[in-house]
PDB file of all heavy atoms in Angstrom:
ATOM      1  N   ASP A 152      29.690  32.637   1.358  1.00 96.00           N
ATOM      2  CA  ASP A 152      29.453  33.839   0.555  1.00 96.00           C
ATOM      3  C   ASP A 152      28.679  33.519  -0.730  1.00 96.00           C
ATOM      4  O   ASP A 152      28.521  34.365  -1.606  1.00 96.00           O
ATOM      5  CB  ASP A 152      30.769  34.581   0.249  1.00 96.00           C
ATOM      6  CG  ASP A 152      31.785  33.696  -0.443  1.00 96.00           C
ATOM      7  OD1 ASP A 152      31.430  32.564  -0.847  1.00 96.00           O
ATOM      8  OD2 ASP A 152      32.940  34.133  -0.591  1.00 96.00           O
ATOM      9  N   THR A 153      28.189  32.284  -0.842  1.00 96.00           N
ATOM     10  CA  THR A 153      27.421  31.874  -2.021  1.00 96.00           C
ATOM     11  C   THR A 153      25.958  31.620  -1.673  1.00 96.00           C
ATOM     12  O   THR A 153      25.085  31.732  -2.527  1.00 96.00           O
ATOM     13  CB  THR A 153      28.030  30.571  -2.598  1.00 96.00           C
ATOM     14  OG1 THR A 153      29.412  30.795  -2.841  1.00 96.00           O
ATOM     15  CG2 THR A 153      27.359  30.152  -3.884  1.00 96.00           C
ATOM     16  N   ALA A 154      25.689  31.262  -0.437  1.00 96.00           N
ATOM     17  CA  ALA A 154      24.325  30.872  -0.035  1.00 96.00           C
ATOM     18  C   ALA A 154      24.144  31.156   1.459  1.00 96.00           C
ATOM     19  O   ALA A 154      25.136  31.204   2.198  1.00 96.00           O
ATOM     20  CB  ALA A 154      24.118  29.385  -0.329  1.00 96.00           C
ATOM     21  N   PRO A 155      22.898  31.329   1.896  1.00 96.00           N
ATOM     22  CA  PRO A 155      22.640  31.599   3.325  1.00 96.00           C
ATOM     23  C   PRO A 155      22.769  30.322   4.150  1.00 96.00           C
ATOM     24  O   PRO A 155      21.771  29.742   4.599  1.00 96.00           O
ATOM     25  CB  PRO A 155      21.218  32.147   3.322  1.00 96.00           C
ATOM     26  CG  PRO A 155      20.579  31.493   2.147  1.00 96.00           C
ATOM     27  CD  PRO A 155      21.645  31.280   1.119  1.00 96.00           C
ATOM     28  N   VAL A 156      24.005  29.854   4.341  1.00 96.00           N
ATOM     29  CA  VAL A 156      24.228  28.502   4.876  1.00 96.00           C
ATOM     30  C   VAL A 156      23.793  28.321   6.332  1.00 96.00           C
ATOM     31  O   VAL A 156      23.633  27.201   6.797  1.00 96.00           O
ATOM     32  CB  VAL A 156      25.713  28.088   4.719  1.00 96.00           C
ATOM     33  CG1 VAL A 156      26.077  27.930   3.261  1.00 96.00           C
ATOM     34  CG2 VAL A 156      26.646  29.103   5.397  1.00 96.00           C
ATOM     35  N   ARG A 157      23.613  29.448   7.065  1.00 94.00           N
ATOM     36  CA  ARG A 157      23.182  29.311   8.469  1.00 94.00           C
ATOM     37  C   ARG A 157      21.674  29.092   8.571  1.00 94.00           C
ATOM     38  O   ARG A 157      21.155  28.737   9.619  1.00 94.00           O
ATOM     39  CB  ARG A 157      23.550  30.573   9.260  1.00 94.00           C
ATOM     40  CG  ARG A 157      25.007  30.647   9.662  1.00 94.00           C
ATOM     41  CD  ARG A 157      25.190  31.775  10.675  1.00 94.00           C
ATOM     42  NE  ARG A 157      24.718  33.033  10.101  1.00 94.00           N
ATOM     43  CZ  ARG A 157      25.530  33.931   9.512  1.00 94.00           C
ATOM     44  NH1 ARG A 157      26.811  33.695   9.441  1.00 94.00           N
ATOM     45  NH2 ARG A 157      25.034  35.051   9.023  1.00 94.00           N
ATOM     46  N   ALA A 158      20.955  29.369   7.473  1.00 97.00           N
ATOM     47  CA  ALA A 158      19.490  29.278   7.509  1.00 97.00           C
ATOM     48  C   ALA A 158      19.023  27.868   7.153  1.00 97.00           C
ATOM     49  O   ALA A 158      19.662  27.178   6.349  1.00 97.00           O
ATOM     50  CB  ALA A 158      18.893  30.266   6.512  1.00 97.00           C
ATOM     51  N   LYS A 159      17.918  27.469   7.758  1.00 98.00           N
ATOM     52  CA  LYS A 159      17.265  26.231   7.305  1.00 98.00           C
ATOM     53  C   LYS A 159      16.316  26.666   6.195  1.00 98.00           C
ATOM     54  O   LYS A 159      15.096  26.785   6.372  1.00 98.00           O
ATOM     55  CB  LYS A 159      16.545  25.541   8.475  1.00 98.00           C
ATOM     56  CG  LYS A 159      16.199  24.086   8.191  1.00 98.00           C
ATOM     57  CD  LYS A 159      15.837  23.391   9.483  1.00 98.00           C
ATOM     58  CE  LYS A 159      15.121  22.077   9.225  1.00 98.00           C
ATOM     59  NZ  LYS A 159      15.951  21.026   8.639  1.00 98.00           N
ATOM     60  N   ALA A 160      16.937  26.977   5.044  1.00 98.00           N
ATOM     61  CA  ALA A 160      16.228  27.558   3.901  1.00 98.00           C
ATOM     62  C   ALA A 160      15.862  26.455   2.921  1.00 98.00           C
ATOM     63  O   ALA A 160      16.700  25.609   2.580  1.00 98.00           O
ATOM     64  CB  ALA A 160      17.126  28.591   3.218  1.00 98.00           C
ATOM     65  N   ALA A 161      14.621  26.482   2.444  1.00 98.00           N
ATOM     66  CA  ALA A 161      14.157  25.448   1.512  1.00 98.00           C
ATOM     67  C   ALA A 161      15.066  25.365   0.291  1.00 98.00           C
ATOM     68  O   ALA A 161      15.360  24.267  -0.201  1.00 98.00           O
ATOM     69  CB  ALA A 161      12.724  25.763   1.083  1.00 98.00           C
ATOM     70  N   SER A 162      15.560  26.515  -0.189  1.00 97.00           N
ATOM     71  CA  SER A 162      16.381  26.529  -1.407  1.00 97.00           C
ATOM     72  C   SER A 162      17.636  25.665  -1.255  1.00 97.00           C
ATOM     73  O   SER A 162      18.070  25.034  -2.221  1.00 97.00           O
ATOM     74  CB  SER A 162      16.772  27.963  -1.756  1.00 97.00           C
ATOM     75  OG  SER A 162      17.396  28.568  -0.648  1.00 97.00           O
ATOM     76  N   LEU A 163      18.201  25.609  -0.054  1.00 97.00           N
ATOM     77  CA  LEU A 163      19.421  24.810   0.147  1.00 97.00           C
ATOM     78  C   LEU A 163      19.149  23.313   0.030  1.00 97.00           C
ATOM     79  O   LEU A 163      20.065  22.529  -0.233  1.00 97.00           O
ATOM     80  CB  LEU A 163      20.031  25.117   1.518  1.00 97.00           C
ATOM     81  CG  LEU A 163      20.634  26.517   1.672  1.00 97.00           C
ATOM     82  CD1 LEU A 163      21.051  26.752   3.118  1.00 97.00           C
ATOM     83  CD2 LEU A 163      21.827  26.690   0.751  1.00 97.00           C
ATOM     84  N   TYR A 164      17.896  22.941   0.233  1.00 98.00           N
ATOM     85  CA  TYR A 164      17.562  21.507   0.174  1.00 98.00           C
ATOM     86  C   TYR A 164      17.535  20.978  -1.257  1.00 98.00           C
ATOM     87  O   TYR A 164      17.480  19.763  -1.469  1.00 98.00           O
ATOM     88  CB  TYR A 164      16.262  21.228   0.936  1.00 98.00           C
ATOM     89  CG  TYR A 164      16.550  21.234   2.418  1.00 98.00           C
ATOM     90  CD1 TYR A 164      16.647  22.435   3.111  1.00 98.00           C
ATOM     91  CD2 TYR A 164      16.840  20.063   3.094  1.00 98.00           C
ATOM     92  CE1 TYR A 164      16.995  22.464   4.443  1.00 98.00           C
ATOM     93  CE2 TYR A 164      17.181  20.082   4.428  1.00 98.00           C
ATOM     94  CZ  TYR A 164      17.266  21.283   5.101  1.00 98.00           C
ATOM     95  OH  TYR A 164      17.622  21.304   6.413  1.00 98.00           O
ATOM     96  N   ALA A 165      17.613  21.886  -2.257  1.00 97.00           N
ATOM     97  CA  ALA A 165      17.749  21.413  -3.640  1.00 97.00           C
ATOM     98  C   ALA A 165      19.034  20.596  -3.775  1.00 97.00           C
ATOM     99  O   ALA A 165      19.072  19.574  -4.475  1.00 97.00           O
ATOM    100  CB  ALA A 165      17.768  22.599  -4.597  1.00 97.00           C
ATOM    101  N   ILE A 166      20.079  21.019  -3.075  1.00 98.00           N
ATOM    102  CA  ILE A 166      21.361  20.288  -3.111  1.00 98.00           C
ATOM    103  C   ILE A 166      21.187  18.923  -2.441  1.00 98.00           C
ATOM    104  O   ILE A 166      21.621  17.890  -2.952  1.00 98.00           O
ATOM    105  CB  ILE A 166      22.465  21.104  -2.397  1.00 98.00           C
ATOM    106  CG1 ILE A 166      22.632  22.463  -3.058  1.00 98.00           C
ATOM    107  CG2 ILE A 166      23.781  20.322  -2.369  1.00 98.00           C
ATOM    108  CD1 ILE A 166      23.498  23.437  -2.248  1.00 98.00           C
ATOM    109  N   GLY A 167      20.541  18.944  -1.288  1.00 98.00           N
ATOM    110  CA  GLY A 167      20.325  17.697  -0.553  1.00 98.00           C
ATOM    111  C   GLY A 167      19.497  16.696  -1.352  1.00 98.00           C
ATOM    112  O   GLY A 167      19.791  15.494  -1.357  1.00 98.00           O
ATOM    113  N   THR A 168      18.481  17.193  -2.056  1.00 98.00           N
ATOM    114  CA  THR A 168      17.629  16.294  -2.843  1.00 98.00           C
ATOM    115  C   THR A 168      18.434  15.656  -3.976  1.00 98.00           C
ATOM    116  O   THR A 168      18.332  14.435  -4.211  1.00 98.00           O
ATOM    117  CB  THR A 168      16.417  17.063  -3.404  1.00 98.00           C
ATOM    118  OG1 THR A 168      15.690  17.620  -2.311  1.00 98.00           O
ATOM    119  CG2 THR A 168      15.498  16.152  -4.193  1.00 98.00           C
ATOM    120  N   LEU A 169      19.248  16.452  -4.672  1.00 98.00           N
ATOM    121  CA  LEU A 169      20.091  15.880  -5.741  1.00 98.00           C
ATOM    122  C   LEU A 169      21.006  14.799  -5.172  1.00 98.00           C
ATOM    123  O   LEU A 169      21.142  13.701  -5.736  1.00 98.00           O
ATOM    124  CB  LEU A 169      20.949  16.989  -6.383  1.00 98.00           C
ATOM    125  CG  LEU A 169      20.201  17.978  -7.270  1.00 98.00           C
ATOM    126  CD1 LEU A 169      21.069  19.205  -7.552  1.00 98.00           C
ATOM    127  CD2 LEU A 169      19.783  17.303  -8.573  1.00 98.00           C
ATOM    128  N   ALA A 170      21.631  15.113  -4.057  1.00 98.00           N
ATOM    129  CA  ALA A 170      22.596  14.188  -3.452  1.00 98.00           C
ATOM    130  C   ALA A 170      21.906  12.917  -2.953  1.00 98.00           C
ATOM    131  O   ALA A 170      22.366  11.798  -3.187  1.00 98.00           O
ATOM    132  CB  ALA A 170      23.331  14.885  -2.308  1.00 98.00           C
TER     133      ALA A 170
END
Side-chain angles (χ1 to χ4, degrees):
D152 56 9
T153 305
V156 293
R157 282 192 303 263
K159 197 165 164 69
S162 54
L163 291 173
Y164 283 81
I166 301 168
T168 301
L169 288 166

